[in-house]
Amino acid sequence: MTNTNIFPEGFLWGAATSAPQSEGAQYADGRTASTWDVWYEKEPERFYNQVGPQHTSYVYERYPEDAQLMADMGLNSFRTSISWNRLLPDGQTLNQEAVAFYRDYFIQIKKNGVQPIINLFHFDMPWWLMEKGGWENRTSIEAFAFYARTAFEQFGDLVDTWTTFNEPIVHVQCGYLGNDHWPQVYDFKRAITVGYHTMLAHAAAVREFRSVMEDSGKEIGIILNLSPVYAKSDQSDDQKAKRYAEEWHIKSFLEPAVNGHYSPFLIETLKENNLLPKIEPEDAALLLQGKVDFLGVNYYQPLRVQAVDKEKVNIPAKSPADFSKAYDWPDKKMNPYRGWEIYPEGIYDIAMMIKNDYHNIPWYISENGMGVADEERFMDAEGIIQDDYRIEFIRDHLEQILKAIEAESSCYGYHLWTFVDCWSWLNAYKNRYGFYRLDLETGNRIPKKSSFWLHGIIEESKLDL
């Protein structure tokens, strides 16, 4: 329990989405294909109800309306991403229609008193680059740097706050240690290479930012999912499993983003298992240039682990599962609609980890939220979704943020995923997350009860405890 219910002045209130999940206008005005577009064309049956990335949430046409709705709700910030393959359809040629769209999108947001936070990569690899190997190909590093520099030059006068990647571990795990992202392969060594090149690309983008935005006072960060790791027990094998899980799932991206290098423990583990990627002499200097000004932290659920049965461990390792395995905590509270554990206390533990181990670098909750299927069953006679479950979820997580701030954490904001219900990769619109319900037939935005509730919290800058 916290002793204060007042949020600090300037606290960031907002929501987040991404270009591929909200814009639509799939091939309009010069946009070329991403991996999602091509994958859907190859295997539409892999997508829920065969709903692909063609239309999503109509933001390309309806962004002025969304900007007004953000103001009506009292939000002061909003994160979305730029589509790489819309801005640079072939990786080199600047698409002036994309420039016009994004400039007016950001202007409309700012006119309504909302600060745009713009991300560069949200799982949407341009197909022209994937055909060359995507992040496995080392040329992707400078290709991303060129894209980042172009974005800074075109929109740097409108955008003060930038991020390079959203949850970079996800395209590694889901694409190279699973089949939920393209290219659907399972190869630990290739996954390590993809993760390494991703962080070099991040560092190259930060280098370009410092060059273009020199002395501007603008900031750049990265969005990481920093799920706190909890061991089944205090026994040494379970604690060792926790240490490995933290290295793979948290520190592999957090260490280079904040400190500019990887942890010696992770490097030694990679060596022992013949998993080190190819490292060039100039890489260490580049990684040092990638240190960020702030962190965005996506938090949905904790990671609970236990020791792996010794007879099942592969040497050398074939996957992170050779170091730890999932632990099903019997006392957990579940979101029955999404299958994820609800554990608000995780936010406080993240805050203390950042405070004590990462110099208390400024950070905010860049995503948090609750996906619910068949949400229309909670609709009242006026067509309003009575999402009291979401209100309870947000309230419990905000209480932990207040507790963290009271403990001198440098947390400065909260963003919900998402503002208007958006398309989700393989699940389309099965699970709804937004403050606003999207009518799939008309594209209309209808406020949910949670939007009115949060508007009151923002106005008072106070949480009822």
Side-chain angles (χ1 to χ4, degrees):
M1 172 68 87
T2 174
N3 293 315
T4 180
N5 62 345
I6 306 295
F7 292 93
E9 187 176 348
F11 192 78
L12 220 55
W13 295 103
T17 189
S18 74
Q21 292 173 272
S22 65
E23 286 179 8
Q26 186 182 31
Y27 293 125
D29 300 332
R31 179 187 180 277
T32 56
S34 74
T35 49
W36 295 101
D37 301 307
V38 175
W39 189 8
Y40 179 74
E41 289 160 12
K42 290 175 180 288
E43 300 176 355
E45 68 280 1
R46 287 281 281 121
F47 293 70
Y48 181 74
N49 282 348
Q50 299 200 16
V51 176
Q54 306 97 311
H55 305 299
T56 65
S57 307
Y58 311 100
V59 161
Y60 198 76
E61 296 85 12
R62 302 186 72 146
Y63 62 90
E65 175 186 354
D66 287 352
Q68 180 61 56
L69 293 175
M70 291 173 205
D72 293 346
M73 207 179 138
L75 303 186
N76 59 18
S77 53
F78 174 70
R79 174 171 64 97
T80 188
S81 64
I82 292 172
S83 166
W84 187 350
N85 43 299
R86 191 185 297 283
L87 187 64
L88 298 171
D90 61 1
Q92 291 293 322
T93 307
L94 183 63
N95 179 359
Q96 293 296 343
E97 290 178 284
V99 172
F101 161 64
Y102 285 118
R103 287 195 65 83
D104 196 51
Y105 188 1
F106 304 155
I107 287 169
Q108 293 299 325
I109 292 172
K110 288 168 68 82
K111 274 184 179 175
N112 283 279
V114 179
Q115 171 192 351
I117 298 173
I118 302 304
N119 181 47
L120 293 172
F121 187 87
H122 199 115
F123 314 152
D124 50 339
M125 171 67 72
W127 186 251
W128 60 262
L129 184 52
M130 180 53 75
E131 287 187 302
K132 299 175 183 175
W135 297 117
E136 284 187 88
N137 187 331
R138 199 177 165 91
T139 63
S140 62
I141 300 166
E142 289 306 321
F144 186 72
F146 177 75
Y147 157 56
R149 185 178 186 92
T150 302
F152 303 145
E153 290 173 342
Q154 296 300 320
F155 313 117
D157 60 323
L158 298 173
V159 179
D160 294 339
T161 308
W162 293 83
T163 58
T164 55
F165 283 84
N166 176 78
E167 299 183 348
I169 196 172
V170 170
H171 66 254
V172 177
Q173 288 182 322
C174 293
Y176 294 85
L177 293 169
N179 64 355
D180 288 334
H181 284 208
W182 193 267
Q184 308 183 80
V185 298
Y186 204 103
D187 188 308
F188 203 7
K189 184 92 181 244
R190 290 172 67 182
I192 297 293
T193 297
V194 166
Y196 182 57
H197 287 172
T198 296
M199 284 313 292
L200 288 172
H202 154 82
V206 175
R207 178 196 66 202
E208 297 303 315
F209 179 85
R210 306 288 184 215
S211 169
V212 175
M213 304 291 191
E214 185 179 14
D215 299 326
S216 66
K218 297 174 188 272
E219 296 184 317
I220 190 163
I222 189 170
I223 307 290
L224 300 176
N225 37 352
L226 300 182
S227 301
V229 182
Y230 302 105
K232 176 184 178 183
S233 75
D234 290 333
Q235 294 182 11
S236 61
D237 284 355
D238 286 338
Q239 290 297 315
K240 189 176 179 183
K242 176 189 173 188
R243 172 78 188 275
Y244 278 122
E246 287 176 336
E247 289 289 340
W248 289 123
H249 298 287
I250 308 299
K251 296 185 177 182
S252 57
F253 292 92
L254 182 57
E255 286 281 339
V258 176
N259 294 327
H261 57 75
Y262 289 93
S263 77
F265 182 87
L266 180 63
I267 292 172
E268 192 57 36
T269 302
L270 293 173
K271 282 181 183 174
E272 291 171 356
N273 288 277
N274 193 30
L275 287 169
L276 269 182
K278 186 177 181 182
I279 298 172
E280 300 294 344
E282 65 273 21
D283 287 357
L286 179 57
L287 284 172
L288 269 177
Q289 295 182 70
K291 292 199 283 188
V292 294
D293 301 315
F294 69 93
L295 292 172
V297 175
N298 292 356
Y299 176 64
Y300 290 92
Q301 60 176 340
L303 179 60
R304 300 190 186 277
V305 300
Q306 59 186 319
V308 182
D309 301 331
K310 288 185 171 56
E311 63 274 12
K312 294 183 179 178
V313 173
N314 295 296
I315 301 175
K318 293 184 177 178
S319 81
D322 285 317
F323 299 95
S324 65
K325 69 175 183 179
Y327 169 58
D328 187 11
W329 186 36
D331 297 330
K332 65 184 180 299
K333 178 184 178 183
M334 291 293 291
N335 169 3
Y337 314 104
R338 185 66 174 84
W340 286 355
E341 180 181 346
I342 297 176
Y343 190 69
E345 295 87 346
I347 283 188
Y348 181 81
D349 292 337
I350 292 169
M352 295 304 101
M353 183 262 295
I354 292 174
K355 176 186 172 186
N356 297 325
D357 300 340
Y358 292 94
H359 328 300
N360 209 13
I361 184 172
W363 65 282
Y364 78 106
I365 288 291
S366 44
E367 284 183 30
N368 179 234
M370 184 180 189
V372 174
D374 303 322
E375 214 171 26
E376 283 76 11
R377 65 200 144 121
F378 301 107
M379 185 186 298
D380 66 12
E382 283 72 45
I384 306 296
I385 301 290
Q386 298 293 309
D387 55 345
D388 295 274
Y389 41 85
R390 184 168 288 109
I391 292 170
E392 178 185 356
F393 179 96
I394 298 171
R395 185 195 171 286
D396 290 348
H397 286 77
L398 287 175
E399 183 176 350
Q400 293 298 318
I401 288 177
L402 284 171
K403 181 181 173 185
I405 292 172
E406 190 178 41
E408 300 183 346
S409 165
S410 54
C411 180
Y412 61 84
Y414 177 88
H415 277 194
L416 187 83
W417 183 268
T418 182
F419 185 60
V420 176
D421 291 335
C422 64
W423 180 77
S424 290
W425 317 112
L426 301 182
N427 285 322
Y429 289 92
K430 178 183 176 185
N431 298 307
R432 302 297 190 102
Y433 287 84
F435 283 125
Y436 279 76
R437 181 173 73 88
L438 178 72
D439 185 316
L440 298 182
E441 298 297 322
T442 64
N444 290 340
R445 285 85 161 110
I446 303 101
K448 301 177 188 176
K449 184 178 180 181
S450 57
S451 70
F452 300 117
W453 174 81
L454 191 71
H455 176 67
I457 298 294
I458 295 170
E459 278 202 321
E460 297 287 328
S461 198
K462 183 174 76 174
L463 188 67
D464 292 330
L465 298 175

